[in-house]
């Protein structure tokens, strides 16, 4: 049987390659950092989600080593059987306090967190209204529920209001949006979303994976930035980006929502507990975030420097002030070729193309980090100029 399937799969893979859409995996032979070794060469890393440079921070690494001795390697169980340690409860409490929410539930990833919310809270009597550019995990999570599915154009408040009117007969209405749209670096207009939610009696859910830790005056994310923390019902996020870059996710929400998730959310009930070493190191990361803002300030400075210099050199970058900086190329093959050229020049970036972004909108997504120096940023700009030819 597989002989025929093999040929079909090879044909599909050949088509992907010929279209310039192949996504090879480059192997890094060093810890994740602003400088890494790829194929034996030291290169500047401008494509990791290591926003605050914590992935190899000495204090985080030390906390992880200590946690291995104290808590062991893994739980070998789900939470409700024998997979809950004190460190899990402590982290949930700390995240709740940091995010200004009533309770928090840990998951093995934010993909799982988003996959576990919708079918738990919503059924055929309800409606979920989703931004068109929401993350794939939100889209997949919505598909698992029986709720009516409505979509509005990215950040289009008029269309959101129209969808809310369409859902007026639903028992429950849930608006869901990314806090930051990861392919563009654009921020959701949360204040306007909350205004509409209150007008039409809807709940609001925000996936803030690309914001928590560095967006907002104290790094508490887009709800803090927009001054709407107390108006948000559900925040999902990851420990795998700014918060150390390991793995793990969470749902921070109203108390009753979290209580129901613990009883019925399938990714929570049927997945192993978050490794205690990650939970313990994440507590140290929260300590760092709450005691100093130097990394956030460095990240903002690096972002402004890169955006300014790339604009001065005539590159087409999407506007904004987020450390995700999309350099628009258009053609998928050209974006891939340019990324390869940049790697030869000592700058590690990735070309993004369909299906990650729409056809014709291929780009190189540059991600700044607090771990980059001003000289690193200038070298990256110079490499882009050379790669453009």
């Amino acid at each position: 049987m597989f002989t025929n399937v093999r040929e079909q799969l090879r044909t599909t893979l050949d088509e992907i390659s010929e279209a310039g859409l192949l996504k090879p995996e480059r192997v890094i032979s060093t810890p994740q950092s602003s400088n890494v070794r790829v194929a034996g060469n030291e290169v500047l890393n401008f494509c990791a989600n290591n926003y605050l440079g914590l992935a190899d921070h000495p204090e985080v690494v030390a906390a992880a080593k200590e946690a291995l001795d104290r808590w062991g390697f893994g739980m070998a169980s789900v939470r409700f059987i024998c997979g809950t340690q004190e460190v899990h409860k402590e982290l949930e409490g700390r995240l709740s306090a940091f995010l200004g929410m009533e309770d928090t539930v840990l998951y093995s990833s934010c993909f799982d967190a988003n996959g576990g919310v919708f079918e738990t809270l919503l059924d055929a009597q309800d409606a979920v209204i989703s931004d068109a550019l929401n993350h794939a995990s939100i889209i997949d999570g919505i598909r698992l529920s029986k709720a009516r599915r409505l979509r509005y154009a990215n950040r289009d408040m008029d269309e959101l209001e129209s969808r809310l009117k369409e859902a007026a007969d639903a028992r429950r209405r849930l608006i869901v949006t990314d806090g930051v749209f990861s392919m563009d670096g654009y921020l959701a207009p949360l204040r306007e979303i909350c205004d509409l939610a209150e007008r039409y009696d809807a709940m609001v859910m925000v996936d803030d994976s690309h914001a928590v830790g560095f967006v907002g005056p104290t790094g508490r994310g887009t709800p803090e930035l927009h001054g709407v923390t107390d108006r948000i019902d559900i925040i999902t996020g990851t420990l795998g980006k700014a918060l150390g870059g390991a793995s793990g996710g969470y749902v921070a929400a109203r108390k009753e929502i979290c209580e129901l998730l613990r009883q019925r959310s399938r990714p929570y009930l049927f997945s192993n507990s978050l490794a205690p070493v990650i939970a313990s190191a994440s507590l140290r990361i929260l300590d760092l975030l709450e005691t100093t803002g130097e990394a956030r300030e460095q990240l903002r400075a690096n972002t402004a420097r890169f955006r300014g210099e790339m604009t001065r050199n005539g590159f087409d970058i999407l506007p904004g002030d987020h450390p995700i900086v999309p350099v628009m190329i258009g053609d998928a093959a050209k974006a891939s070729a340019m990324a390869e050229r940049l790697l030869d020049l000592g700058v590690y970036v990735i070309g993004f193309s369909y299906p990650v972004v729409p056809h014709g909108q291929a780009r190189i997504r540059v991600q700044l980090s607090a771990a980059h120096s001003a000289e690193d940023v200038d070298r990256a700009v110079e490499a882009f100029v050379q790669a453009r030819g």
Side-chain angles (χ1 to χ4, degrees), residues 26-49:
R26 298 189 178 109
V27 178
I28 298 172
S29 55
T30 60
Q32 183 68 279
S33 185
S34 59
N35 289 267
V36 294
R37 188 178 302 114
V38 178
N41 298 316
E42 297 287 338
V43 295
L44 287 171
N45 185 359
F46 276 88
C47 59
N49 295 313

Side-chain angles (χ1 to χ4, degrees), residues 27 55 62 87 102 131 133 153 165 176 195 227 236 247 261 269 277 291 337:
V27 178
V87 69
E102 294 177 1
D131 190 290
L133 294 189
K165 290 178 180 177
V176 57
D195 288 344
T236 63
S247 63
L261 291 174
L269 291 171
V277 62
T291 55

Side-chain angles (χ1 to χ4, degrees), residues 52-70:
L52 296 175
L54 297 176
D56 64 338
H57 192 286
E59 291 189 40
V60 177
V61 174
K65 290 178 178 178
E66 180 182 348
L68 282 171
D69 290 334
R70 180 178 180 185

Side-chain angles (χ1 to χ4, degrees), residues 272-289:
N272 261 23
S273 307
L274 185 69
V277 62
I278 295 174
S280 188
S282 297
L283 289 167
R284 183 68 188 108
I285 288 164
L286 290 173
D287 290 339
L288 293 171
L289 294 182

Side-chain angles (χ1 to χ4, degrees), residues 37 47 74 82 93 100 120 143 159 327 340:
R37 188 178 302 114
C47 59
C82 61
T120 302
R143 286 172 177 163
E159 192 164 347
V327 182
E340 290 291 341

